[in-house]
Amino acid sequence: MSSNFGKNIKIQIFGQSHSEGIGVVIDGLPANEPIDLERVSAFLQRRAPGKTSYSTHRSEADAPKILSGLVDGKTCGAPLCAIIGNTDTKSGDYANLKDIPRPSHADYPASVKYFGANDIRGGGHFSGRLTAPLCFAGAVCLQILERNSVFIGAHIATIGKVKDTLFDPVNLTASELLSPSKKGFPVLNEAVGNLMITEIEAARMNLDSIGGTVECAILNVPVGIGDPMFDGLENNLAKAIFGIPAIKGIEFGAGFSSSELHGSENNDSFFYDENGKVRTKTNNCGGIMGGISNGMPIVFRVAVKPTPSISKEQDSISLIKGENAKLTIVGRHDPCIVPRAVPVIEAVAAAVILDMML
Amino acid sequence: MSSNFGKNIKIQIFGQSHSEGIGVVIDGLPANEPIDLERVSAFLQRRAPGKTSYSTHRSEADAPKILSGLVDGKTCGAPLCAIIGNTDTKSGDYANLKDIPRPSHADYPASVKYFGANDIRGGGHFSGRLTAPLCFAGAVCLQILERNSVFIGAHIATIGKVKDTLFDPVNLTASELLSPSKKGFPVLNEAVGNLMITEIEAARMNLDSIGGTVECAILNVPVGIGDPMFDGLENNLAKAIFGIPAIKGIEFGAGFSSSELHGSENNDSFFYDENGKVRTKTNNCGGIMGGISNGMPIVFRVAVKPTPSISKEQDSISLIKGENAKLTIVGRHDPCIVPRAVPVIEAVAAAVILDMML
Amino acid sequence: MSSNFGKNIKIQIFGQSHSEGIGVVIDGLPANEPIDLERVSAFLQRRAPGKTSYSTHRSEADAPKILSGLVDGKTCGAPLCAIIGNTDTKSGDYANLKDIPRPSHADYPASVKYFGANDIRGGGHFSGRLTAPLCFAGAVCLQILERNSVFIGAHIATIGKVKDTLFDPVNLTASELLSPSKKGFPVLNEAVGNLMITEIEAARMNLDSIGGTVECAILNVPVGIGDPMFDGLENNLAKAIFGIPAIKGIEFGAGFSSSELHGSENNDSFFYDENGKVRTKTNNCGGIMGGISNGMPIVFRVAVKPTPSISKEQDSISLIKGENAKLTIVGRHDPCIVPRAVPVIEAVAAAVILDMML
Amino acid sequence: MSSNFGKNIKIQIFGQSHSEGIGVVIDGLPANEPIDLERVSAFLQRRAPGKTSYSTHRSEADAPKILSGLVDGKTCGAPLCAIIGNTDTKSGDYANLKDIPRPSHADYPASVKYFGANDIRGGGHFSGRLTAPLCFAGAVCLQILERNSVFIGAHIATIGKVKDTLFDPVNLTASELLSPSKKGFPVLNEAVGNLMITEIEAARMNLDSIGGTVECAILNVPVGIGDPMFDGLENNLAKAIFGIPAIKGIEFGAGFSSSELHGSENNDSFFYDENGKVRTKTNNCGGIMGGISNGMPIVFRVAVKPTPSISKEQDSISLIKGENAKLTIVGRHDPCIVPRAVPVIEAVAAAVILDMML
């Protein structure tokens, strides 16, 4: 396994859904940076389960315990390790999964890869629960970035076919960027948000789940961050973002839409604004040219598949009997993972951007 | 810069559009593998410019010269270096670009990042020309993969709004997979291909360019390749694919479409086929679960933006004068880069997959 | 900071001498490997402080707690995290070190590097205490290696000018190799060992410390492990071994002695032994040719400087007053770190060798 | 293979002794740095063969050809690739080496590792000839370092048992540091140098070879370069230096001698000098504490084994016949590689230090 990423800041995630604990080691943080742990906890609460009807009822305090790396509230240069206990685990629910792999989960390839020794309880290391320490890491990085005027925000762009308005990629302000994070349901347009909640509720009532997309933007990254070819912003953001379970696509700027455009429509013309700053009139490139930031907002969207754990009976196989089998998943799961994915995406983006700015 | 990728096989690209030469070093190839250089050259020809009305008229032999790593036609364990000369360079065309950055090219952020010392001629290191050595590397990897029954193929999925049929993600055969690569214009449906060519021609006549998408599939990757979280197939494919100029999005399996589905629609049910092999009835996950191959075809699609170099006059700025300016790009450029991107995407996928299978 | 190493197995160390806890994450261990935690604890006891007059009197249970990565006593493929609490910390002892850096410790450069925010208590992240989680990682790797008949052992080669006999680099047996590890004082020749203890006691009585060297050997590494130039056995062993505090030199095989020899003396002639196995008559290369194992025992020696913490008054500076100052270090410290370094060196070697054999 | 190193600056070496060419790609150099290629060539001449009776008579122009990365004499941010042709190759000399491996060369383990496909001609990729592109890379880095007042120099410390004086590790000046590099035979004390030459000549007349040691020092590295544990100066210097063929040991500061000392003798006391700069009275730590530079000269010594290629008949084996065999090596080889290793060691140190300072 390789549950780590980063070059200057190395983030190592560990834990399984039902192991003694989960956590993260962050190696390479700049020293002497004050970290407000209450704000970190508040950030983690945005991801935490058990708060609404549309998320899993598993209830975890998710209070991180700092083992190292902070002295008197400031980073001391040593690796920062935070652990989160697993308390509300109901391993009994998952007993038959060792035999019958859940569709669209990692159970089957993992059992082949790890000779059947993988921890199947709650999805083991593949569980969405592992995004809690990821959020911890991101929340720490966000504070350091904010001190350098770099802001990161995300919102639900779609649930099923219900669409929120999108960020204005040219004139996005920090205030608009961060507004969804202040709401219980992170959207720009609250009326649309209510439609989305209705959609999720309908899926849940139907013993089903539903997917969506998340849009994320980053403000004030200086011009020149990122390296060409394989070490650019798109490369590193994509590599890290696909580490979040259920992500199946990513696009920057106009992304897949740009494939339908002509160059004269898609090209982002430069101009000097009233302050003499170089800007572009449109931002179809999502703030990234040749892998390198151009000073405009960095914008990307990701596709989140519907939660694969659904309560409906499904077709699968019995690995032990070597024959086809039926599976009904019990246990707790989110009918829609998208709302909880929002802070996770912000967190991963924060870790990548801070790493690349060092 | 960091124009290299790979863990077991490290691929280092070098060169600029108008430098003395461009090339690649491939470090870590398995030893004792015969490499058919004629097949490598044939692969490179699929990417080569100057062949049709819809590609740049720059004419390069693109005949790679092997400096090291092959002895008697076989890999010897030492790094394989191939260089390609730059002969048909017309640097005079690009003189004013140092002053007026081309919209949606890397010129502007590169000039900031490299203190104005970046090689602007022909796009320098950011040029699509750098995909030639990438194709060399991929062609070598493809031969080793094929010897292990792993096949990789791609085709143009869309040009503008014209859509080719897609690969059958469940029952794809090697023969169907490789059929586009045998055509002058790499599509599955040739009638659609003709419409696409018409679309490209129209853009060219209009001094414009057009974008598109490419679909790529990989057959016979064994179950269990890839690691969870940040070192899975999606992570590594995405990171490398975004190294190709003009790529602005990537999706695996149903990708962004899956975000509109319910779990009961999107989940891929398992079954034992007549040979006792584990398969899935659908393949919305694109052959990847939790970052790990599940034995089904690996399928992904990428968005290619329209070539930013167009002949129409555009708005830009004069960095020297510090004021807005007009720009008309002369020189040669493809009205649509998508057809030539097809082998490049196959090449990058080959390098990533071989690296991950070692 | 970058307190991690390894390519296939990534070992991330965290903690400070007086932080809440210290520990290690091991990412990439082969799955389905039984780990005997009692044997791991026994290994850790060889490094543990507080057992003899010649080691620090700090007393730590050093009982590792497993947070993740083991299920039913076997590796499950997920990162293995073990933490060790810091309980017997006396931070008050170290109050004035923030002002007056200890000679030959990292205090001064760390205070510059980390803007004074580094954790000075007990040496912080630079403390020898961080070798406890390193031993944990090594003890796990050793069990997997032993299952593949690879054995690693070390002994004190010298204390000051007192010399133990050396391993026979040509005919070394597993039994001889592992014999020092079974003794309270890890030497081959116990009479010499007693002289060494006398030497250490003398240093301690004199409020001083003393250095030494450790010899380590590795048996049964297959021919062909290691890559040429920068990824060979010497490169990776050296890089990791210098991660142990107080190591100031490393030599492989005849090492520095070989610099005094002629080629005809130093060259290791090949022969077929009675079993048809290729061996060498001498082993001045320490089992490594061109960075690659040749099947003979791998042998290296490291120089361990005398513990820099001594009770004698020393000259230093006051960073606050900006003037020269006197320093008397109170607190607990080993008069000789060499005996406790022996298992640490075995541990690091085990991690490197297992990583390179995967 | 993994013939590359570095984090911010990645140096990739390629080529075999008798391949079409050898070379290097340097990825990540700072942009806009003027590189004086005549000085680079002069540096390469210090390593070049064929100049004296005590080096191989192989004669190579070793004139590097720049393929990319320099524009108008300045680094442009793109990877710098330089190639050197192999012209004076006499591959016929080495025909029987495929059967009979040379003692203390990589022939045998390489033939096992690479399934017999390794390039045996002239040692292939394991040849000392590969240090030519390494010197190229180092010469480029040295110019950038010098512009930042960081100076690197080395000299022959011993040949056999003949010893040069050592650098003064406390008061070393740039002028003393660089003086050996200006001499035909790089020593501090020329009278000792003559004795060394006599020693080498005697070895050559006796169809033998002889080893030695090299001392290297680095001036003006700022305080705070290097990270603790596994990414410190010692770790990275050692890892890279062991990439030079024939190196079998490395020690920093007092190194192995410090193992014989008491703490009170070995500790480096701090004091403020007349300019208010923090310095140490002695420099037994070689300018490195806890892996981090402390502002004093960085000093290390390496052991170079005697050239394994000697003209005397040696015992070996016939891999084809599976029996013991005699071997007489014909072809050209240095009776002592130490003088030519001096600039190589400077070059590698330069690459590591520049990488770590970025």
Side-chain angles (χ1 to χ4, degrees):
Chain A
M1 291 213 183
S2 214
S3 299
N4 49 68
F5 69 105
K7 181 186 161 197
N8 297 302
I9 299 180
K10 297 193 180 166
I11 293 182
Q12 170 73 54
I13 301 290
F14 59 87
Q16 300 113 248
S17 184
H18 292 204
S19 66
E20 180 83 13
I22 60 178
V24 61
V25 184
I26 317 171
D27 194 342
L29 283 173
N32 208 28
E33 294 280 351
I35 303 300
D36 180 336
L37 290 174
E38 289 195 16
R39 285 190 63 204
V40 170
S41 288
F43 188 90
L44 281 170
Q45 280 310 307
R46 291 176 53 204
R47 192 215 70 95
K51 297 184 301 177
T52 63
S53 63
Y54 52 86
S55 73
T56 169
H57 290 179
R58 176 172 175 170
S59 169
E60 293 282 4
D62 276 0
K65 179 178 174 185
I66 311 295
L67 288 190
S68 65
L70 283 187
V71 176
D72 298 336
K74 291 197 286 190
T75 55
C76 68
L80 197 169
C81 178
I83 60 175
I84 300 173
N86 282 327
T87 52
D88 185 22
T89 54
K90 299 191 179 171
S91 299
D93 290 344
Y94 298 91
N96 67 332
L97 296 179
K98 203 87 186 182
D99 178 24
I100 305 182
R102 295 169 299 175
S104 295
H105 272 286
D107 302 351
Y108 167 64
S111 77
V112 172
K113 183 176 188 76
Y114 302 116
F115 318 108
N118 55 307
D119 188 353
I120 202 75
R121 300 168 300 161
H125 186 62
F126 296 86
S127 168
R129 179 145 179 74
L130 273 292
T131 58
L134 207 45
C135 278
F136 177 89
V140 167
C141 294
L142 276 170
Q143 293 190 19
I144 299 172
L145 285 169
E146 282 179 23
R147 210 165 288 137
N148 293 279
S149 300
V150 174
F151 300 99
I152 299 181
H155 69 108
I156 303 174
T158 61
I159 294 292
K161 291 178 179 166
V162 183
K163 295 186 202 310
D164 192 15
T165 49
L166 294 181
F167 286 136
D168 176 342
V170 176
N171 297 306
L172 182 62
T173 61
S175 149
E176 186 191 14
L177 174 75
L178 300 176
S179 68
S181 69
K182 300 192 164 70
K183 300 172 184 172
F185 193 81
V187 287
L188 287 169
N189 181 325
E190 289 175 45
V192 170
N194 288 332
L195 294 176
M196 289 174 171
I197 292 172
T198 305
E199 198 78 8
I200 296 171
E201 271 302 289
R204 186 174 71 86
M205 296 303 285
N206 203 23
L207 308 182
D208 212 336
S209 63
I210 191 161
T213 59
V214 174
E215 184 180 52
C216 181
I218 310 165
L219 283 186
N220 299 336
V221 173
V223 184
I225 300 300
D227 286 296
M229 298 208 80
F230 308 107
D231 211 11
L233 283 161
E234 288 137 333
N235 313 80
N236 289 329
L237 282 167
K239 181 178 169 74
I241 288 286
F242 278 116
I244 306 170
I247 304 294
K248 296 302 281 187
I250 189 167
E251 60 179 2
F252 295 86
F256 278 90
S257 303
S258 70
S259 72
E260 299 189 356
L261 299 179
H262 290 95
S264 57
E265 300 164 301
N266 188 63
N267 282 0
D268 300 312
S269 299
F270 293 105
F271 71 102
Y272 283 104
D273 72 7
E274 57 273 27
N275 302 311
K277 193 186 162 199
V278 175
R279 303 186 66 209
T280 59
K281 293 176 191 172
T282 51
N283 188 9
N284 291 317
C285 73
I288 307 171
M289 292 165 156
I292 307 176
S293 58
N294 71 354
M296 295 294 290
I298 293 171
V299 184
F300 64 92
R301 274 171 305 281
V302 302
V304 185
K305 71 176 185 183
T307 321
S309 287
I310 56 176
S311 299
K312 283 188 175 169
E313 186 185 75
Q314 297 182 83
D315 290 330
S316 184
I317 52 177
S318 163
L319 292 167
I320 293 172
K321 297 185 188 162
E323 63 186 30
N324 296 335
K326 297 288 184 188
L327 173 70
T328 302
I329 299 177
V330 290
R332 304 152 296 183
H333 28 78
D334 296 64
C336 183
I337 200 72
V338 182
R340 293 176 60 205
V342 169
V344 182
I345 288 162
E346 294 173 7
V348 171
V352 172
I353 295 295
L354 180 58
D355 184 40
M356 294 183 72
M357 285 180 62
L358 289 182
Chain B
M1 289 212 183
S2 214
S3 299
N4 50 67
F5 69 105
K7 180 185 163 198
N8 297 301
I9 299 180
K10 296 193 181 166
I11 292 181
Q12 170 74 53
I13 302 291
F14 59 86
Q16 301 113 249
S17 184
H18 291 206
S19 67
E20 179 84 13
I22 60 177
V24 59
V25 184
I26 318 170
D27 194 342
L29 284 173
N32 209 26
E33 294 281 351
I35 303 301
D36 181 337
L37 290 176
E38 289 194 17
R39 285 190 63 205
V40 170
S41 287
F43 188 90
L44 281 171
Q45 280 309 307
R46 292 176 53 206
R47 191 216 71 95
K51 295 185 303 179
T52 64
S53 63
Y54 52 84
S55 73
T56 169
H57 289 180
R58 176 171 174 171
S59 169
E60 292 281 6
D62 276 2
K65 180 179 173 184
I66 311 296
L67 288 191
S68 67
L70 284 186
V71 176
D72 299 337
K74 293 197 286 193
T75 55
C76 68
L80 198 168
C81 177
I83 59 174
I84 299 174
N86 282 328
T87 53
D88 185 23
T89 53
K90 298 190 180 172
S91 298
D93 291 344
Y94 298 91
N96 67 330
L97 296 179
K98 204 88 187 180
D99 177 24
I100 305 183
R102 295 169 299 176
S104 294
H105 272 286
D107 302 350
Y108 167 64
S111 76
V112 172
K113 184 178 186 72
Y114 302 116
F115 318 108
N118 56 308
D119 189 353
I120 202 76
R121 300 167 300 160
H125 187 63
F126 296 86
S127 167
R129 180 145 179 74
L130 273 294
T131 59
L134 207 45
C135 278
F136 177 90
V140 166
C141 294
L142 276 171
Q143 293 190 20
I144 299 172
L145 285 170
E146 282 179 25
R147 210 165 288 137
N148 293 281
S149 300
V150 173
F151 299 99
I152 299 180
H155 70 108
I156 302 173
T158 60
I159 294 291
K161 292 181 179 165
V162 183
K163 296 187 201 308
D164 193 15
T165 50
L166 294 180
F167 287 136
D168 176 342
V170 176
N171 297 306
L172 182 61
T173 62
S175 150
E176 187 192 13
L177 175 73
L178 300 176
S179 68
S181 69
K182 300 192 164 71
K183 299 172 184 171
F185 194 80
V187 287
L188 287 168
N189 181 326
E190 291 175 44
V192 169
N194 289 331
L195 294 176
M196 288 173 171
I197 292 173
T198 304
E199 199 79 8
I200 296 172
E201 272 301 289
R204 187 175 70 85
M205 295 302 285
N206 203 23
L207 308 182
D208 212 334
S209 64
I210 190 161
T213 60
V214 173
E215 183 181 53
C216 181
I218 310 165
L219 283 186
N220 299 335
V221 173
V223 184
I225 301 300
D227 286 295
M229 299 208 80
F230 308 106
D231 211 11
L233 283 161
E234 288 138 332
N235 314 79
N236 289 328
L237 281 167
K239 179 179 170 73
I241 288 287
F242 278 115
I244 306 171
I247 304 294
K248 294 304 282 187
I250 189 166
E251 60 179 2
F252 295 85
F256 278 89
S257 303
S258 70
S259 73
E260 299 190 357
L261 300 179
H262 289 97
S264 57
E265 301 163 300
N266 188 62
N267 282 359
D268 301 310
S269 299
F270 293 104
F271 71 101
Y272 282 105
D273 73 7
E274 58 273 25
N275 302 311
K277 193 186 160 198
V278 175
R279 302 186 67 209
T280 59
K281 293 176 190 171
T282 50
N283 188 9
N284 290 318
C285 74
I288 307 171
M289 291 164 156
I292 307 176
S293 58
N294 70 354
M296 295 295 289
I298 293 170
V299 184
F300 65 91
R301 273 170 306 282
V302 302
V304 185
K305 72 175 184 184
T307 321
S309 287
I310 56 176
S311 299
K312 283 187 176 171
E313 187 185 74
Q314 296 181 82
D315 289 331
S316 185
I317 51 175
S318 163
L319 293 167
I320 293 174
K321 299 187 188 158
E323 63 186 29
N324 296 336
K326 296 288 183 187
L327 173 71
T328 302
I329 299 177
V330 290
R332 302 153 298 183
H333 29 78
D334 296 63
C336 183
I337 199 71
V338 183
R340 293 176 60 204
V342 169
V344 182
I345 288 163
E346 294 174 6
V348 171
V352 172
I353 295 295
L354 181 58
D355 184 40
M356 294 183 71
M357 286 179 62
L358 290 182
Chain C
M1 290 213 183
S2 213
S3 299
N4 50 68
F5 69 106
K7 180 186 162 196
N8 297 301
I9 299 178
K10 295 193 181 166
I11 293 180
Q12 170 73 55
I13 302 291
F14 59 87
Q16 301 113 248
S17 184
H18 291 204
S19 66
E20 179 85 13
I22 60 177
V24 61
V25 184
I26 318 172
D27 193 342
L29 282 173
N32 209 27
E33 294 279 351
I35 302 300
D36 181 337
L37 290 175
E38 290 197 15
R39 284 190 65 205
V40 169
S41 288
F43 187 89
L44 281 171
Q45 280 310 307
R46 291 175 53 205
R47 192 216 70 94
K51 296 184 305 177
T52 63
S53 63
Y54 51 85
S55 73
T56 169
H57 288 179
R58 177 171 173 170
S59 170
E60 293 281 5
D62 275 0
K65 178 179 175 184
I66 310 296
L67 288 191
S68 66
L70 283 186
V71 175
D72 299 335
K74 291 197 287 191
T75 55
C76 68
L80 198 169
C81 177
I83 59 175
I84 300 173
N86 281 327
T87 51
D88 185 23
T89 54
K90 299 191 180 173
S91 299
D93 291 344
Y94 297 91
N96 66 332
L97 296 180
K98 205 87 183 181
D99 176 25
I100 305 183
R102 294 169 299 175
S104 294
H105 272 286
D107 303 349
Y108 167 64
S111 76
V112 172
K113 184 178 187 73
Y114 302 116
F115 316 107
N118 55 308
D119 189 353
I120 202 75
R121 300 166 299 161
H125 187 63
F126 296 86
S127 167
R129 179 144 179 75
L130 273 291
T131 58
L134 207 46
C135 278
F136 176 89
V140 167
C141 294
L142 276 171
Q143 293 190 20
I144 299 173
L145 285 170
E146 282 179 24
R147 212 167 286 138
N148 292 280
S149 300
V150 173
F151 300 99
I152 299 181
H155 69 108
I156 302 173
T158 61
I159 294 291
K161 293 180 178 165
V162 183
K163 296 185 202 311
D164 193 14
T165 50
L166 295 180
F167 286 137
D168 176 343
V170 176
N171 297 305
L172 182 62
T173 62
S175 150
E176 187 192 12
L177 175 74
L178 301 175
S179 67
S181 69
K182 301 191 165 72
K183 299 172 184 171
F185 194 80
V187 286
L188 289 169
N189 181 324
E190 292 175 43
V192 169
N194 289 332
L195 293 176
M196 289 173 170
I197 292 172
T198 305
E199 198 78 6
I200 296 170
E201 272 301 290
R204 185 174 73 84
M205 296 302 286
N206 202 23
L207 308 182
D208 212 334
S209 63
I210 190 162
T213 60
V214 174
E215 184 180 52
C216 181
I218 310 165
L219 283 186
N220 300 335
V221 173
V223 184
I225 301 300
D227 286 295
M229 299 207 78
F230 308 107
D231 210 11
L233 284 160
E234 288 137 332
N235 314 80
N236 289 328
L237 281 166
K239 180 177 169 75
I241 288 287
F242 278 116
I244 306 169
I247 303 293
K248 295 302 282 188
I250 189 167
E251 60 178 4
F252 295 86
F256 278 89
S257 302
S258 71
S259 73
E260 299 191 355
L261 299 179
H262 290 96
S264 58
E265 300 164 300
N266 188 63
N267 282 0
D268 300 312
S269 300
F270 293 105
F271 70 101
Y272 283 105
D273 73 7
E274 58 272 27
N275 303 312
K277 192 186 161 198
V278 175
R279 302 186 67 210
T280 58
K281 292 176 191 172
T282 51
N283 188 9
N284 290 317
C285 73
I288 307 170
M289 289 164 159
I292 307 176
S293 59
N294 70 355
M296 296 294 290
I298 293 171
V299 184
F300 66 91
R301 274 171 304 283
V302 302
V304 185
K305 73 176 184 183
T307 320
S309 287
I310 56 176
S311 298
K312 283 187 175 170
E313 186 185 74
Q314 298 181 81
D315 290 330
S316 185
I317 52 177
S318 163
L319 292 168
I320 294 172
K321 298 187 189 161
E323 62 185 30
N324 296 335
K326 296 289 184 186
L327 173 71
T328 301
I329 300 176
V330 290
R332 303 153 297 184
H333 28 78
D334 296 64
C336 183
I337 200 72
V338 183
R340 293 175 61 203
V342 168
V344 181
I345 287 162
E346 294 174 5
V348 171
V352 172
I353 295 295
L354 181 59
D355 183 40
M356 294 183 72
M357 285 180 63
L358 289 182
Chain D
M1 289 214 185
S2 214
S3 299
N4 50 67
F5 68 105
K7 180 185 163 198
N8 297 303
I9 298 180
K10 296 194 182 167
I11 293 181
Q12 171 73 53
I13 302 290
F14 59 88
Q16 302 113 249
S17 183
H18 292 204
S19 66
E20 181 83 14
I22 60 179
V24 61
V25 184
I26 317 171
D27 194 343
L29 284 173
N32 209 26
E33 293 280 351
I35 303 300
D36 180 337
L37 290 175
E38 288 195 19
R39 283 189 65 204
V40 170
S41 288
F43 188 88
L44 281 170
Q45 281 309 308
R46 291 175 54 203
R47 192 217 70 95
K51 297 185 302 179
T52 62
S53 62
Y54 51 83
S55 73
T56 168
H57 290 179
R58 176 170 175 173
S59 170
E60 294 281 5
D62 276 2
K65 180 179 172 185
I66 310 298
L67 288 191
S68 67
L70 283 187
V71 175
D72 299 336
K74 292 197 285 189
T75 55
C76 67
L80 199 169
C81 177
I83 59 174
I84 300 172
N86 282 327
T87 52
D88 184 23
T89 55
K90 299 190 180 172
S91 298
D93 291 343
Y94 298 91
N96 67 331
L97 296 180
K98 204 87 187 182
D99 178 24
I100 306 183
R102 293 170 299 174
S104 294
H105 273 286
D107 303 350
Y108 168 64
S111 76
V112 172
K113 182 176 189 74
Y114 301 116
F115 317 109
N118 55 308
D119 189 352
I120 202 75
R121 300 167 299 161
H125 186 63
F126 296 87
S127 167
R129 179 144 180 75
L130 273 293
T131 57
L134 207 45
C135 278
F136 177 90
V140 167
C141 294
L142 277 171
Q143 293 190 20
I144 300 172
L145 285 169
E146 282 179 25
R147 211 166 286 139
N148 293 281
S149 300
V150 173
F151 299 98
I152 299 181
H155 69 107
I156 303 173
T158 60
I159 294 291
K161 293 180 179 165
V162 183
K163 297 185 201 311
D164 193 15
T165 50
L166 295 180
F167 286 136
D168 176 342
V170 176
N171 297 305
L172 183 61
T173 62
S175 149
E176 187 191 13
L177 175 75
L178 301 175
S179 66
S181 70
K182 300 191 165 72
K183 299 172 185 172
F185 194 81
V187 286
L188 288 169
N189 180 325
E190 291 175 45
V192 169
N194 288 331
L195 293 176
M196 289 173 169
I197 292 173
T198 305
E199 199 79 7
I200 296 171
E201 272 301 288
R204 186 174 72 84
M205 295 302 286
N206 202 23
L207 309 181
D208 213 334
S209 64
I210 191 161
T213 60
V214 174
E215 183 180 51
C216 182
I218 309 166
L219 283 186
N220 299 336
V221 173
V223 183
I225 301 300
D227 286 295
M229 298 207 80
F230 307 107
D231 211 11
L233 283 161
E234 288 137 332
N235 313 80
N236 289 328
L237 281 167
K239 180 177 170 74
I241 287 287
F242 277 117
I244 306 170
I247 303 294
K248 296 303 283 185
I250 189 166
E251 60 178 3
F252 294 86
F256 279 89
S257 303
S258 70
S259 73
E260 299 189 356
L261 299 179
H262 290 94
S264 58
E265 300 163 301
N266 188 63
N267 282 0
D268 300 311
S269 300
F270 293 105
F271 70 101
Y272 283 104
D273 73 6
E274 57 272 28
N275 303 311
K277 194 186 159 199
V278 175
R279 302 187 67 211
T280 60
K281 293 177 190 171
T282 51
N283 188 9
N284 290 317
C285 73
I288 308 170
M289 290 165 157
I292 307 176
S293 58
N294 71 353
M296 295 295 289
I298 293 172
V299 184
F300 65 91
R301 274 171 304 282
V302 302
V304 185
K305 73 176 183 182
T307 321
S309 286
I310 56 175
S311 299
K312 283 186 176 171
E313 187 185 74
Q314 296 181 83
D315 290 330
S316 185
I317 52 176
S318 163
L319 292 167
I320 294 173
K321 297 187 188 159
E323 63 186 29
N324 296 335
K326 295 290 184 184
L327 173 70
T328 302
I329 299 176
V330 289
R332 301 153 298 183
H333 28 78
D334 296 64
C336 183
I337 199 72
V338 182
R340 292 176 61 203
V342 169
V344 181
I345 288 162
E346 294 173 7
V348 171
V352 171
I353 294 296
L354 181 58
D355 184 42
M356 295 183 73
M357 285 180 62
L358 289 182

